[in-house]
Amino acid sequence: MSNVSTARFARLISVGCILTAAFTPVAAQACACGCGVFDIASVGVAPNGADTGWTAFLRYGQNDQRQNWAGSSRISGAWNADRRITTSFLTFGAQYMINRDWGVMVEAPFVKRAFTTVWDADTGATGTYHLGAFG
């Protein structure tokens, strides 16, 4: 993929993320932090059940988009050149608990995407872009 195509794709993704955040219902944004999520003790909060120390972690999630939708109805993909978008989310992280009340955490998210689209409208030939980046 050329640098112009990469820049255009990155700009398109950025605009999409901003629009998604802007139009997300307020109730869904209400619990970003402070809804009591930190009041519940679990094994993952304090390493090895102790009040202090290090913990390292790895989280994985995947999103597979291959169906076109209009509102709440499935629709044909005949007018959409995009065929499939598969995104894997990996988050590497570590935390250090200074004491039971204070800690420091760092995360490094990595996103890997496979984007399949029609390259040639005349023949219907498809191709897949593979992208991956930290951030």
Side-chain angles (χ1 to χ4, degrees):
M1 185 174 356
S2 71
N3 287 341
V4 173
S5 296
T6 303
R8 185 179 305 148
F9 182 75
R11 197 169 32 251
L12 180 65
I13 294 298
S14 298
V15 169
C17 289
I18 291 168
L19 289 174
T20 299
F23 291 103
T24 300
V26 175
Q29 298 174 356
C31 286
C33 185
C35 291
V37 69
F38 298 111
D39 297 337
I40 301 170
S42 71
V43 176
V45 174
N48 301 324
D51 289 339
T52 62
W54 284 98
T55 299
F57 58 89
L58 173 66
R59 283 191 307 258
Y60 175 79
Q62 184 178 23
N63 186 5
D64 191 3
Q65 300 166 263
R66 62 178 120 176
Q67 176 63 52
N68 291 295
W69 293 86
S72 60
S73 303
R74 292 179 185 223
I75 62 170
S76 167
W79 296 102
N80 186 355
D82 301 341
R83 296 296 179 240
R84 186 174 190 172
I85 302 171
T86 304
T87 309
S88 297
F89 304 93
L90 284 160
T91 303
F92 306 92
Q95 74 175 10
Y96 179 76
M97 295 301 296
I98 300 164
N99 59 40
R100 185 169 179 78
D101 297 323
W102 292 94
V104 179
M105 183 187 314
V106 64
E107 293 183 344
F110 183 80
V111 177
K112 181 180 175 187
R113 175 167 285 167
F115 174 68
T116 303
T117 188
V118 174
W119 279 356
D120 186 346
D122 295 331
T123 64
T126 61
T128 302
Y129 294 100
H130 294 278
L131 310 164
F134 280 95

